[in-house]
Structure formats: structure tokens, C-alpha cells
Amino acid sequence: MELRQPLHIELGRNPSTIQKTTPDSVIHGKYRHIKGMTMVLLGAVLWGVSGTAAQVLFQRDGFNPAWLVSVRMTTSGLLLLIALTARFGFAHTFAIWKNKRDAFGIVLLGIIGLLGVQYSYFASIRYGNAATGTLLQYLGPIFITIYVALRRRQIPSVKQLTAVLIALLGVLFLVTNGNWHSLSIAPLAVIWGFISAITLAFYTLYPAALLRTYGASTVMGWGMFIGGIGMSLMAPPWTFSGYSAPGTWFLVGFVTLFGTLLAFYIYIASLKYISASEASLLACGEPLSATILTVAALHVPMSCSSILGAICILTTVTILARSKSEQSI
């Protein structure tokens, strides 16, 4: 968020209404900006820690990714809808179902978008690790750039093309560990990682009209709940399999409440204080935190080539987040 000049004149306003910006208002603006950045970073770290916790549940405790997705999405979506109803009433929460087109749209978003990105992300972690899965998911902006360019029938800008090339180079370093003749991680981890990036691009672009009409909390609440119900048909929450212990269930609770519901709420709330491009840029804290925790806590080795690949992918996100080009439908 750019700070206003000491004397800011808004076009179309009466000169008598012009007010000077006081030092107190500048300090308040800086405080709001710092608050917004802190909220984004906290949400990103919670997402990153959640991915590392999920890796422990899958690879150490034998949990099924589909089961965790069904519990995570159903619980978070239901709690969010209950909170919305308590604050705004049933009419507000259920308004989206009065329009057939919007009702179909929220079901599509929940099943293909949110369920798709959640399951593919966890599946990538299951066959690989949290660091690789999170980094591959962050290729989503590349697919958004390609889609928007095709839809508008125009060649991407030099900045966008540079970002795509850097991302591809980063993926090569990440999945081959510098040896171009073989993969250093399981092929299924790479495949699911790419699927998570594609579905991330879908759920970023698709619900634009729904978000404008009903707001992020309503759309995401219903989307997560519907996606969770859809996954529950294949992996019911009551058909649990895996190692059961207090520490294990603490991780499940953390992934569900802190890594999903709280992280989402903090991220959305931060947009009141900073711009969406700043939030997207600061959200790079997610793969960074996931990588640091994966290496430090789980002792997963990261070679120089893997680190270089991670830097390339994060550089791509930075370039696209700072780009002035609008990537919307």
C-alpha cells in the first residue's frame, strides 16, 4: 500500500473538502501496512507448517491423504459457515443457493477447484515431501499467465515470459537434482505437484464473479464444505486407518484448524490493510517455511541443485506478483 503524499487531491472532489495528511495518519497508515504484512506472513507460515505436519502423518503414521482432506475441508468449511451464519444470519449464508447458475458454480469450485488442489497437494507430499510439493504448487501463477495469454490471444510480456523460463529451469533443478537424465524424486510426486498447480490456477481464476457477489468467506466456506463432502464419499471420516496417538491427533487438529481455517481467515483479513499483489508476494513464506521445516525437523536433504530450483520458482512468483499486468478473466 503506497502512502499518500502530504497533500492528496482526489479528482472530482470540492477543493473545500481537501484535507492535509497529518503525521498521526501517516503513522497509522504505516501501522496498518505492517499489520497486514505480519498477518500474511503468519498465514503463510501456518500453511507451510501444515504441509510439514501432513508429511509426518502420511509417511510416519500411515494416514491416507484422502481421509485428511475430507476431515480438513469438511470441518473448516462447516466452522466457517457457522461463523458466517452467527454474524450475518441464514439469509446471507444461503443466498448463493437461490441462483441456479451460482449454485452450480460453487459446486464446481468445491469439487474441481478446492478439492482438486487440496488432494493433489497432499498426494504430492505423500509421494515426495512438503518442500517439493509446496514449491511445485507455486507454479500456479505460471498456468494463470498462460491461460490469460491464450484467452486474450496475445503474447505474454517479456517479464512474464522470463518468469515462465525461470520457473521451468527451477523445476528441472528441483526434480532432477542437477542430473538431467533421471528424476531425484518420485514421478507421482511431480505429477501430483503439477496437478496441484493447475487446480490452484483454476480456483484462483474461476470464482471471480462469485467472490464479487458473495464475498470470499461465503464462497470459500461453501467451497471447502462441498469439497469435503465430495471427498467423504470416497474416504469417510469414520473409516480411519493409521497410527493413533495423542501427538498424531494434535497434528490432525493443527492441519485442520490452524493450517486451514485460521490461515485462510488471517490471509483474507490482511487484504484490508495491504494490496493483493503484496499479499501474493509475501505468501512466498509458505514454501520457505515448509522447506526450512522439512530440512530441519524431518532431516530431508536439499542439495545445491534443489535449493537453486527453489530460488528459481520463488523468483518467478516474485516477478509475477510485482508485475503490473492484470491477470484476470
Side-chain angles (χ1 to χ4, degrees):
M1 180 180 66
E2 296 182 1
L3 294 177
R4 293 183 175 183
Q5 297 297 324
L7 182 62
H8 177 75
I9 301 177
E10 296 185 12
L11 298 178
R13 293 188 61 181
N14 190 301
S16 63
T17 64
I18 298 174
Q19 298 180 350
K20 293 184 178 180
T21 302
T22 64
D24 288 341
S25 65
V26 173
I27 294 174
H28 180 66
K30 290 182 178 179
Y31 169 77
R32 287 172 59 86
H33 193 244
I34 294 173
K35 180 179 180 180
M37 292 191 298
T38 302
M39 292 171 71
V40 172
L41 289 173
L42 177 58
V45 169
L46 288 175
W47 279 324
V49 175
S50 174
T52 305
Q55 180 179 339
V56 174
L57 291 173
F58 300 150
Q59 299 180 358
R60 187 195 70 182
D61 299 328
F63 275 58
N64 183 354
W67 181 88
L68 185 59
V69 169
S70 67
V71 171
R72 181 191 198 191
M73 294 187 69
T74 304
T75 303
S76 297
L78 182 60
L79 290 176
L80 186 53
L81 292 174
I82 291 174
L84 283 170
T85 303
R87 182 175 182 182
F88 300 108
F90 283 96
H92 174 88
T93 303
F94 289 86
I96 196 170
W97 297 103
K98 295 181 179 180
N99 184 297
K100 291 183 179 180
R101 182 176 180 179
D102 293 343
F104 174 79
I106 196 64
V107 171
L108 192 65
L109 173 67
I111 298 298
I112 297 180
L114 292 174
L115 174 55
V117 73
Q118 291 284 330
Y119 180 77
S120 56
Y121 171 60
F122 277 161
S124 181
I125 292 176
R126 168 65 181 84
Y127 294 107
N129 56 69
T132 301
T134 307
L135 286 166
L136 289 175
Q137 187 185 64
Y138 264 67
L139 294 173
I142 296 299
F143 292 102
I144 294 175
T145 300
I146 295 172
Y147 171 81
V148 171
L150 292 174
R151 183 177 178 85
R152 294 179 176 177
R153 297 181 180 179
Q154 64 182 25
I155 299 175
S157 66
V158 174
K159 182 181 291 187
Q160 291 171 333
L161 287 174
T162 301
V164 171
L165 293 176
I166 293 175
L168 293 176
L169 183 62
V171 170
L172 287 175
F173 278 117
L174 186 67
V175 304
T176 65
N177 200 21
N179 181 4
W180 311 113
H181 302 290
S182 62
L183 295 178
S184 61
I185 59 177
L188 282 176
V190 179
I191 293 172
W192 282 116
F194 274 108
I195 294 175
S196 71
I198 293 171
T199 50
L200 174 66
F202 173 81
Y203 101 76
T204 300
L205 291 169
Y206 178 76
L210 293 173
L211 291 171
R212 286 193 299 266
T213 304
Y214 302 102
S217 297
T218 300
V219 172
M220 292 299 124
W222 279 115
M224 286 191 290
F225 182 69
I226 291 169
I229 294 299
M231 181 56 76
S232 296
L233 299 177
M234 295 178 286
W238 54 87
T239 60
F240 163 76
S241 63
Y243 176 71
S244 180
T248 300
W249 292 107
F250 171 80
L251 292 180
V252 173
F254 180 88
V255 170
T256 301
L257 299 178
F258 290 90
T260 305
L261 184 63
L262 182 60
F264 165 76
Y265 176 81
I266 292 174
Y267 183 84
I268 293 298
S270 72
L271 297 179
K272 294 187 296 184
Y273 308 109
I274 61 176
S275 67
S277 61
E278 287 178 304
S280 299
L281 185 60
L282 292 170
C284 289
E286 179 185 357
L288 287 175
S289 61
T291 301
I292 292 172
L293 274 175
T294 300
V295 174
L298 304 184
H299 308 293
V300 175
M302 289 285 287
S303 66
C304 293
S305 295
S306 298
I307 294 174
L308 182 58
I311 292 173
C312 289
I313 293 174
L314 294 178
T315 300
T316 296
V317 177
T318 303
I319 292 173
L320 294 179
R322 296 179 63 88
S323 176
K324 295 182 179 180
S325 300
E326 293 293 331
Q327 295 181 336
S328 58
I329 297 178

